[in-house]
């Protein structure tokens, strides 16, 4: 009540606005009934397209935004080629960054990499030479082992042949000695000496042959151990080679990464747009130190979105994919069409409590056009952000313009409907209308009570279902709906404290 007293003129103007709307709705009916003796009003059952919607205001935004930055950091800004409001195409230069220090660092890094690579090559070549020598030594060692075995076999074979000759000489001396019967003769004595001599040689040759066989057998037995030892020596050198290769593999990695990063920064010094659009922000100037922040923003002005806030009482009815009718001051009466693209699941703030939002018209706009200023009542209901894609293209749209949106929750086409105040409710809670079936002798309307079911309801009309009514039939407007005319409402405003 205190608010009403403080805003007396505004409240009276709202009442007047409501009366104007009511006059427009019911004007046609009143115009055609001047000759009737019954002063009660009627409404006609008509077919209409009814829509249940949620209304709100929002703001046009770009459907796509590119935030331009660069990986080239810690440098000065040399040139800025765009200003806010410029239109750019993909590939256009936005700004240029200084690369003098980067180029010097790149040159030093490349020389350092070259020196390191030279040393790495030397180390690898030395390891390769050592490995090659180890392989050569191993192969030569294995050959020497086999050659020694072969020589031992030859020596043993020759000793066996010598022994065979000695044995044959001994056997021959024995036979010669057996032929001499006179054991006292000089011939016998000489023969016996020959036997003893050949026997000694045969025995010595046998010993030699056995020794050489033993040597051969030992070398054959030890062959694998010798080869294993040679292979182990080679494997040790091969392991050392592999360690060297592994150790030098990443020797230049850090330096190469530094060079790659410097090349990337130098390439990124010429900052270009990757998409076409309108430059809406430029955050750097010539001489600035650049450290990776957003340089500029480019927004796609070929397609728009509308961002709006919907109160908590309506948000559960709003769904992705619903049709939206959009109007703007810039496009006048033209209706733009859109679709709900995203509904935030998280509350974003308090609603502004737009005056007249529940009346189906924009009182704030009416106040502005009439030269009066209205203020928001400042509601405490939280709101949820809804993003709407704009499907209708228009050259008149601009980023930041105000959009008046109607999100269509339900749309029923070609249905029987009447103004919502024609439908009455009886004591049992049933809905009914009074159908005009004729006139009495005194000129008053003769009516019939018809039970109805209400379907979808818009701001002004109610759908009638399962009623049996037909298009064109007349229904009586309840007497209570016309008690207050414009003068009555103005007079009743005295309760608010007068004008």
């Amino acid at each position: 009540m205190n608010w009403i007293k403080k805003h007396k003129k505004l409240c009276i103007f709202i009442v007047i606005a409501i009366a104007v709307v009511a006059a427009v709705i019911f004007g046609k009916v009143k115009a055609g009934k001047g000759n009737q003796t019954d002063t009660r009003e009627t409404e006609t059952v008509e077919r209409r397209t009814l829509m249940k919607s949620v209304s709100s205001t929002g703001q046009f935004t770009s459907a796509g935004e590119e935030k331009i930055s660069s990986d080239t950091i810690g440098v000065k800004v040399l040139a800025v080629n765009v200003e806010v409001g410029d239109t750019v195409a993909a590939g256009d230069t936005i700004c240029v960054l200084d690369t003098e220090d980067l180029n010097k660092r790149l040159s030093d890094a490349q020389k350092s990499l070259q020196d390191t690579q030279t040393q790495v090559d030397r180390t690898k070549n030395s390891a390769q030479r050592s490995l090659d020598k180890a392989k050569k030594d191993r192969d030569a060692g294995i050959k020497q082992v086999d050659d020694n075995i072969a020589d031992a076999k030859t020596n043993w074979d020759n000793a066996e042949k010598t022994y065979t000759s000695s044995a044959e000489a001994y056997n021959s001396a024995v036979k010669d000695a057996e032929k001499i019967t006179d054991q006292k003769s000089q011939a016998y004595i000489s023969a016996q000496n020959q036997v003893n001599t050949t026997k000694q040689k045969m025995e010595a040759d046998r010993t030699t042959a056995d020794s050489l066989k033993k040597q051969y057998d030992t070398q054959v037995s030890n062959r694998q151990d010798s080869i294993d030892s040679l292979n182990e020596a080679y494997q040790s050198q091969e392991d050392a080679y592999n360690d060297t290769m592994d150790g030098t593999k990443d020797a230049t990695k850090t330096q190469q990464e530094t060079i790659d990063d410097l090349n990337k920064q130098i390439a990124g010094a010429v900052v270009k747009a990757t998409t076409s659009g309108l430059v809406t922000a430029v955050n750097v100037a010539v001489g600035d130190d650049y450290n990776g922040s957003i340089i500029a923003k480019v927004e796609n002005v070929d397609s728009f979105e509308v961002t709006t806030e919907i109160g908590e009482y309506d948000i559960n009815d709003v769904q992705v994919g619903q049709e939206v009718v959009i109007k703007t001051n810039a496009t006048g009466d033209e209706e733009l069409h859109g679709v709900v693209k995203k509904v935030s699941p998280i509350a974003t703030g308090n609603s502004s409590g737009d005056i007249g939002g529940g009346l189906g018209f924009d009182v704030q706009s009416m106040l502005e056009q009439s030269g009066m200023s209205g203020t928001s009542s400042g509601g405490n209901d939280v709101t949820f952000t809804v993003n709407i894609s704009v499907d209708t293209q228009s050259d008149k749209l601009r980023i930041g313009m105000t959009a008046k949106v109607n999100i269509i929750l339900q749309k029923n086409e070609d249905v029987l409907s009447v103004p919502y105040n024609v439908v009455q409710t009886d004591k049992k809670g049933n809905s009914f209308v009074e159908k005009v079936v004729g006139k009495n002798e005194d000129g008053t309307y003769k009516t019939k009570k018809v039970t109805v079911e209400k379907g979808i309801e818009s701001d002004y009309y109610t759908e009638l279902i399962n009623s049996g009514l037909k298009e064109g039939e007349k229904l009586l407007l309840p007497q209570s709906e016309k008690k207050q005319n414009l003068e009555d409402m103005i007079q009743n405003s005295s309760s608010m404290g007068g004008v």
Side-chain angles (χ1 to χ4, degrees):
M1 184 61 71
N2 289 335
W3 184 91
I4 295 174
K5 290 180 179 180
K6 291 180 180 179
H7 300 82
K8 294 179 291 184
K9 293 184 178 181
L10 175 61
C11 294
I12 292 173
F13 185 85
I14 293 174
V15 172
I16 294 172
I18 295 173
V20 170
V21 173
V24 172
I25 295 174
F26 303 125
K28 291 184 179 180
V29 175
K30 290 182 177 180
K33 300 175 183 178
N35 296 326
Q36 296 178 2
T37 58
D38 194 330
T39 60
R40 291 180 297 173
E41 297 178 359
T42 63
E43 292 289 349
T44 304
V45 178
E46 297 182 8
R47 290 194 173 274
R48 298 180 178 89
T49 295
L50 300 187
M51 293 185 295
K52 182 180 180 182
S53 65
V54 172
S55 299
S56 182
T57 58
Q59 191 174 56
F60 281 93
T61 62
S62 169
E65 177 185 78
E66 178 193 11
K67 296 179 180 180
I68 300 173
S69 61
S70 175
D71 293 328
T72 307
I73 59 176
V75 296
K76 294 283 187 182
V77 177
L78 283 184
V80 179
N81 294 5
V82 297
E83 297 178 350
V84 173
D86 288 349
T87 300
V88 296
D92 286 353
T93 298
I94 301 298
C95 77
V96 180
L97 305 175
D98 186 8
T99 60
E100 181 178 357
D101 181 63
L102 293 173
N103 285 323
K104 183 179 181 303
R105 288 164 56 192
L106 176 62
S107 178
D108 293 343
Q110 288 172 333
K111 184 178 183 305
S112 176
L113 174 63
Q114 185 177 4
D115 293 342
T116 301
Q117 188 62 55
T118 298
Q119 183 58 46
V120 167
D121 291 342
R122 288 175 181 171
T123 302
K124 291 168 70 175
N125 290 337
S126 176
Q128 184 65 58
R129 288 194 299 271
S130 296
L131 181 63
D132 292 342
K133 183 178 182 303
K135 183 177 185 300
K136 184 178 179 181
D137 292 345
R138 181 198 65 178
D139 294 343
I142 293 174
K143 184 178 183 302
Q144 186 63 51
V145 168
D146 290 337
D147 288 346
N148 290 340
I149 291 175
D151 290 344
K153 181 65 166 61
T154 299
N155 292 337
W156 173 43
D157 289 342
N158 290 335
E160 288 292 346
K161 290 178 182 178
T162 300
Y163 166 74
T164 300
S165 297
S166 298
E168 289 176 352
Y170 168 72
N171 291 330
S172 176
V174 170
K175 288 179 181 180
D176 290 344
E178 288 176 350
K179 291 178 181 179
I180 302 172
T181 59
D182 185 2
Q183 296 182 356
K184 295 181 178 181
S185 65
Q186 187 63 38
Y188 180 79
I189 292 172
S190 295
Q192 286 299 320
N193 288 336
Q194 184 65 28
V195 169
N196 291 334
T197 299
T198 56
K199 181 179 180 182
Q200 290 176 356
K201 186 175 187 309
M202 179 187 70
E203 289 175 348
D205 289 343
R206 179 70 267 162
T207 299
T208 299
D210 289 343
S211 177
L212 292 174
K213 180 180 184 303
K214 186 176 181 180
Q215 292 180 19
Y216 169 75
D217 289 341
T218 298
Q219 291 189 41
V220 170
S221 176
N222 292 337
R223 180 181 184 277
Q224 190 59 49
D225 290 341
S226 298
I227 291 176
D228 289 345
S229 179
L230 291 168
N231 282 330
E232 286 176 2
Y234 171 76
Q235 186 61 52
S236 177
Q237 189 60 51
E238 187 176 46
D239 291 343
Y241 169 83
N242 290 333
D243 289 343
T244 299
M245 294 302 106
D246 290 341
T248 58
K249 181 174 60 177
D250 295 331
T252 60
K253 181 179 179 181
T254 300
Q255 291 171 306
Q256 187 60 56
E257 288 175 347
T258 299
I259 290 173
D260 292 343
D261 181 64
L262 288 169
N263 281 323
K264 183 178 180 181
Q265 290 196 57
I266 291 170
V270 179
V271 184
K272 298 183 177 182
T274 60
T275 186
S276 300
L278 179 71
V279 178
T280 57
V282 177
N283 302 321
V284 297
V286 174
D288 287 351
D289 291 322
Y290 179 69
N291 292 301
S293 60
I294 302 300
I295 294 173
K297 292 182 181 180
V298 176
E299 300 194 48
N300 180 5
V301 292
D302 292 331
S303 58
F304 291 89
E305 288 185 359
V306 171
T307 301
T308 187
E309 296 292 324
I310 301 298
E312 61 183 315
Y313 292 105
D314 293 319
I315 193 62
N316 288 328
D317 294 327
V318 179
Q319 304 292 330
V320 172
Q322 287 174 334
E323 178 186 353
V324 182
V325 177
I326 307 166
K327 283 191 173 184
T328 72
N329 291 333
T331 54
D333 293 333
E334 179 185 0
E335 290 187 349
L336 309 178
H337 295 277
V339 174
V340 175
K341 181 179 179 181
K342 181 181 178 181
V343 179
S344 174
I346 302 172
T348 52
N350 291 335
S351 63
S352 62
D354 290 340
I355 301 173
L359 301 176
F361 58 90
D362 189 348
V363 173
Q364 185 67 29
S365 297
M366 295 173 63
L367 293 175
E368 292 172 355
Q369 293 172 6
S370 66
M372 299 178 64
S373 62
T375 58
S376 169
S377 61
N380 294 321
D381 298 338
V382 297
T383 61
F384 295 78
T385 301
V386 174
N387 298 99
I388 299 166
S389 63
V390 181
D391 297 337
T392 304
Q393 293 187 348
S394 174
D395 294 336
K396 298 178 181 179
L397 296 180
R398 297 290 185 271
I399 293 172
M401 282 185 172
T402 299
K404 303 170 187 177
V405 300
N406 280 299
I407 302 174
I408 309 304
L409 306 180
Q410 186 177 351
K411 183 178 182 179
N412 290 357
E413 297 181 352
D414 195 31
V415 296
L416 292 177
S417 62
V418 293
Y420 69 90
N421 53 358
V422 172
V423 182
Q424 305 177 62
T425 305
D426 62 21
K427 294 180 180 181
K428 295 182 179 180
N430 297 318
S431 298
F432 71 94
V433 296
E434 293 184 80
K435 175 183 174 181
V436 175
V437 295
K439 282 192 175 183
N440 297 310
E441 292 181 358
D442 60 1
T444 59
Y445 291 118
K446 184 185 298 184
T447 62
K448 175 184 177 183
K449 180 178 179 181
V450 178
T451 301
V452 298
E453 292 183 26
K454 295 193 292 185
I456 185 174
E457 291 184 321
S458 67
D459 289 339
Y460 303 110
Y461 299 101
T462 298
E463 178 187 4
L464 301 179
I465 57 178
N466 300 325
S467 64
L469 295 172
K470 297 179 180 179
E471 183 179 6
E473 291 182 322
K474 299 290 186 180
L475 304 179
L476 191 65
L477 184 68
Q479 190 71 18
S480 61
E481 293 295 332
K482 45 178 272 182
K483 283 183 179 179
Q484 284 192 326
N485 56 25
L486 181 57
E487 183 178 357
D488 294 333
M489 288 187 286
I490 294 176
Q491 289 176 351
N492 289 337
S493 67
S494 61
S495 62
M496 301 179 188
V499 178

